[in-house]
Amino acid sequence: MNHTSAMLAAISCVVSEEELLDIAGYYNYSGETSAEYFQKVLSDNNVSENQAALIYHYCYLYCKLTMMDTSVLEKIRRSFKLPLSIIQNSIKIITVKRIRFILDDFADHGKSAHEIFKENEKYITDMLTAAVVETIPFDRKLFKNLSSSEYEHPTDRAYLDNLNTNKTIEKLVKLYSEYNFERILTVQYTGSNIRVTEKNLPYLHNALKTVCKALDVKDIPPLYVTQGSLNACTIGSSKPIIVISGLCLSLLSYDELLFILGHEVGHIKSQHVLYHSIGSFLPYIAGVIGNLTLGIGELAIKGITILLYQWYRMSEITADRAGLLACQNIDAAISVMAKLSGYPPSSYDEIDNSLFLEQAVEFENFDQNVFDKLMKLLSVLYKSHPWTVMRAKELQSWYDTGAYQKIYNVEERCKEEKRVKNPANNIFGKEIFCSHCGKKILSSSRFCEFCGKENIYHK
């Protein structure tokens, strides 16, 4: 079997019989062209990975030019034993802008879409070569029935237990709902930012789909791209949306992008978003309570603010673990921390994770006396995020101790069994707040009676 027959066998999956015969004639192919024969050719193919990838990208381009469903490529991918993630390279390199340019050029010269398999223009050849040269991301393991309790930092859940039964928090949740702060956030972030869809920024859309599949999150949250520094956030507890800066697409590798998206999806999966949103509006909510209580209530909130920010910082550690489970690359996860810390883009190729982690050890050893410890404590008291170097060290430690590998190596886990081990047992049967809508429910309820969403405290 030669490479021409393998190429034609793949092309036969996407073109008409008439087009196939025309292409076969162009390559002086005189062999059999029946569907049965080409099926056997695909089953017995012996092309290299680069040759297989080139054929796959050619067929992807044809599908896009003819607006054909790219699901037909799955047969080609399986036959050539290419990883599922090969589609990411097609999406990244063969962009909508390039497809439109090719369509315009073909129209100007009276060409049909199947001409890409024959006399290719140099710009098409260069584009497809770039797609082949691009490193194919490995397929991510999918953690079926993954429970957030498997990777959550124990302090995160302990603080969350306290927040869920705190009387002052009850007032904050009530005001947050009454003043519809969530709606304000949603309007603010969706009105001036770019919505990511399968057609608009498909590379980013597919990265989010990969993350949600890996972390076993069924509902893919809406994703928006905004301006600003290298960052991402999640807002809205009842209908969460993720907002990511455009710089993340420019400055992060694919694995790093999966990490930062996985971090945000981790917040959603652990139902952190309600209290994160309240934390964003805490100064305003405190002012409202102060006006209603002549300033007395505002003083009471200061105590709960410290508890809220303590939990907030621990929730970031949990979300980092979710990010690692999503990208499944500890080096990429640590390099994201280095980039967030201010590493200049011109020197990204020089990032040394070991040096960054050494900096974390030096920072941790800064506590030489009581005064140093007190100053460090006071400086972080009202911070929503831990020190970035310490986040990197904490994540590396979680990886090195084998906790990550324990989750990664277990193929099947029983969700219900994991819930028995949920550290929220100490509040079982008490009134708590639904982490989606903020209404009071019993922790023993499997679903919220108001919004119908799952209660992660249910055993």
Side-chain angles (χ1 to χ4, degrees):
M1 181 190 70
N2 57 41
H3 296 154
T4 301
S5 60
M7 179 188 69
L8 291 172
I11 292 173
S12 69
C13 297
V14 296
V15 301
S16 67
E17 184 176 350
E18 182 181 351
E19 289 173 325
L20 179 64
L21 293 176
D22 178 50
I23 297 169
Y26 176 81
Y27 285 103
N28 297 317
Y29 176 80
S30 58
E32 189 175 348
T33 58
S34 66
E36 294 77 12
Y37 174 73
F38 278 147
Q39 178 61 46
K40 184 178 185 303
V41 169
L42 286 174
S43 301
D44 301 335
N45 79 82
N46 60 353
V47 297
S48 69
E49 184 179 78
N50 283 345
Q51 290 169 329
L54 181 60
I55 295 171
Y56 180 91
H57 295 313
Y58 262 116
C59 293
Y60 175 88
L61 176 57
Y62 177 86
C63 288
K64 286 299 181 180
L65 291 175
T66 58
M67 293 188 291
M68 182 185 294
D69 187 352
T70 55
S71 61
V72 299
L73 301 176
E74 181 60 15
K75 179 180 179 181
I76 301 172
R77 186 196 66 79
R78 288 199 306 267
S79 299
F80 287 151
K81 297 180 175 59
L82 291 167
L84 276 167
S85 50
I86 184 72
I87 187 68
Q88 295 294 344
N89 288 6
S90 290
I91 293 169
K92 182 179 181 181
I93 304 299
I94 307 171
T95 62
V96 173
K97 184 177 180 180
R98 284 174 165 169
I99 291 168
R100 287 174 180 165
F101 176 82
I102 294 169
L103 283 171
D104 291 341
D105 186 61
F106 276 22
D108 291 342
H109 294 85
K111 297 180 181 178
S112 62
H114 84 272
E115 293 291 331
I116 63 169
F117 298 116
K118 295 164 59 178
E119 300 177 15
N120 302 302
E121 297 290 347
K122 184 177 184 301
Y123 65 87
I124 292 180
T125 303
D126 290 344
M127 178 181 66
L128 293 171
T129 301
V132 172
V133 172
E134 187 78 15
T135 302
I136 302 175
F138 68 90
D139 289 339
R140 266 64 190 178
K141 181 172 288 189
L142 308 182
F143 299 105
K144 185 179 178 182
N145 294 332
L146 178 69
S147 171
S148 59
S149 62
E150 295 181 61
Y151 60 82
E152 283 173 345
H153 192 285
T155 310
D156 166 12
R157 184 45 59 96
Y159 281 136
L160 196 55
D161 293 348
N162 291 333
L163 291 172
N164 261 322
T165 55
N166 187 283
K167 294 296 182 182
T168 305
I169 282 289
E170 182 177 353
K171 295 178 182 178
L172 296 180
V173 172
K174 184 178 180 181
L175 280 171
Y176 178 78
S177 300
E178 286 181 357
Y179 283 80
N180 210 354
F181 283 116
E182 180 170 327
R183 182 62 180 166
I184 296 172
L185 280 173
T186 302
V187 170
Q188 176 184 341
Y189 279 100
T190 60
S192 299
N193 298 321
I194 303 299
R195 175 73 182 268
V196 176
T197 66
E198 291 183 4
K199 294 183 178 180
N200 193 22
L201 299 172
Y203 177 70
L204 186 54
H205 175 78
N206 277 270
L208 180 60
K209 280 178 61 177
T210 298
V211 165
C212 290
K213 285 181 180 179
L215 297 179
D216 194 31
V217 172
K218 301 297 188 296
D219 298 326
I220 301 176
L223 176 62
Y224 288 81
V225 175
T226 186
Q227 296 180 348
S229 59
L230 197 67
N231 196 18
C233 67
T234 303
I235 63 159
S237 54
S238 59
K239 296 179 180 179
I241 66 172
I242 297 174
V243 182
I244 188 171
S245 71
L247 278 179
C248 291
L249 277 171
S250 304
L251 301 181
L252 298 180
S253 68
Y254 181 67
D255 284 1
E256 291 170 338
L257 185 62
L258 292 187
F259 172 79
I260 207 163
L261 289 172
H263 176 101
E264 300 306 325
V265 172
H267 280 314
I268 296 173
K269 190 173 181 70
S270 291
Q271 300 186 10
H272 291 156
V273 187
L274 174 65
Y275 294 133
H276 278 194
S277 299
I278 290 176
S280 301
F281 279 104
L282 201 55
Y284 304 98
I285 297 175
V288 171
I289 292 180
N291 292 333
L292 294 175
T293 60
L294 301 178
I296 298 175
E298 191 171 3
L299 291 174
I301 285 183
K302 289 187 176 179
I304 201 65
T305 300
I306 295 175
L307 174 61
L308 184 62
Y309 280 121
Q310 283 177 326
W311 164 75
Y312 206 131
R313 292 191 293 274
M314 289 301 101
S315 74
E316 293 299 317
I317 300 297
T318 290
D320 285 342
R321 294 177 177 183
L324 178 56
L325 289 169
C327 78
Q328 297 164 27
N329 182 340
I330 184 62
D331 291 329
I334 300 302
S335 63
V336 169
M337 302 294 182
K339 291 179 180 181
L340 289 173
S341 296
Y343 223 101
S346 59
S347 301
Y348 277 179
D349 291 341
E350 303 170 16
I351 290 179
D352 188 331
N353 286 346
S354 62
L355 294 178
F356 187 63
L357 291 169
E358 285 177 14
Q359 180 183 335
V361 174
E362 292 174 4
F363 180 79
E364 192 174 36
N365 294 334
F366 177 73
D367 303 336
Q368 299 296 323
N369 52 53
V370 175
F371 178 76
D372 290 341
K373 292 180 181 179
L374 180 61
M375 290 303 297
K376 187 184 284 188
L377 175 63
L378 291 175
S379 63
V380 79
L381 207 56
Y382 292 97
K383 284 176 65 70
S384 60
H385 287 61
W387 304 109
T388 310
V389 290
M390 296 311 297
R391 285 174 62 187
K393 183 177 182 297
E394 178 72 29
L395 191 60
Q396 184 70 53
S397 297
W398 189 66
Y399 181 86
D400 290 341
T401 57
Y404 163 82
Q405 207 65 34
K406 185 177 179 181
I407 298 174
Y408 185 83
N409 287 338
V410 177
E411 296 293 339
E412 298 291 336
R413 294 172 306 276
C414 178
K415 197 171 186 179
E416 294 302 321
E417 287 181 358
K418 292 292 179 183
R419 295 199 168 196
V420 174
K421 302 176 183 179
N422 194 318
N425 288 342
N426 63 320
I427 64 165
F428 183 72
K430 295 184 178 181
E431 283 192 329
I432 60 171
F433 305 106
C434 172
S435 297
H436 297 286
C437 67
K439 302 288 187 181
K440 293 194 75 171
I441 60 172
L442 287 175
S443 58
S444 55
S445 301
R446 182 171 182 180
F447 299 97
C448 172
E449 61 184 291
F450 300 97
C451 68
K453 294 191 177 180
E454 189 176 12
N455 168 28
I456 61 173
Y457 286 93
H458 171 72
K459 289 204 298 184

